C-alpha cells in the first residue's frame, strides 16, 4: 500500500524508474499501441515479486501497479 521509489519499469523495450512517490513518466510517439508488456521490479531488492503483464495504456494511467512482497 506504499509507493516504491526507484522501481524499474519496462514498457515494451523502454526502461524508466519510479520517482520517490512511486510515479513514472513515459512518452510515446504515434502510432500508440493498444497494449504494452509491462514489467516492474525493484532492482537489488529481494523483497518484491516481479510484476509482468500486458496492459492497455489507459489502464496503466487509471490503476496503480502493485508490487507484492515476497512471502
Amino acid at each position: 500500500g506504499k509507493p516504491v521509489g526507484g522501481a524499474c519499469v519496462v514498457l515494451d523495450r523502454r526502461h524508466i524508474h519510479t520517482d520517490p512517490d512511486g510515479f513514472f513518466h513515459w512518452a510515446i510517439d504515434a502510432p500508440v499501441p493498444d497494449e504494452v508488456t509491462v514489467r516492474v521490479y525493484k532492482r537489488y531488492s529481494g523483497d518484491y515479486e516481479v510484476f509482468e503483464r500486458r496492459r492497455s495504456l489507459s489502464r496503466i494511467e487509471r490503476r496503480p501497479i502493485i508490487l507484492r512482497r515476497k512471502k
Side-chain angles (χ1 to χ4, degrees):
K2 296 182 181 182
V4 178
C8 298
V9 180
V10 182
L11 301 171
D12 283 340
R13 290 182 290 267
R14 294 171 178 90
H15 183 245
I16 46 186
H17 293 95
T18 58
D19 66 17
D21 296 319
F23 291 99
F24 64 91
H25 304 278
W26 182 59
I28 187 168
D29 295 325
V32 176
D34 291 330
E35 290 186 335
V36 293
T37 299
V38 180
R39 186 168 193 264
V40 183
Y41 58 97
K42 180 66 174 169
R43 192 175 218 176
Y44 308 118
S45 172
D47 295 340
Y48 300 96
E49 294 179 4
V50 174
F51 176 95
E52 189 163 4
R53 307 265 193 299
R54 295 243 351 129
R55 294 282 189 253
S56 69
L57 297 178
S58 62
R59 184 171 181 179
I60 294 169
E61 285 182 320
R62 289 190 324 263
R63 300 174 80 185
I65 295 171
I66 298 173
L67 293 180
R68 300 195 187 280
R69 287 198 175 268
K70 289 183 178 177
K71 294 179 181 183

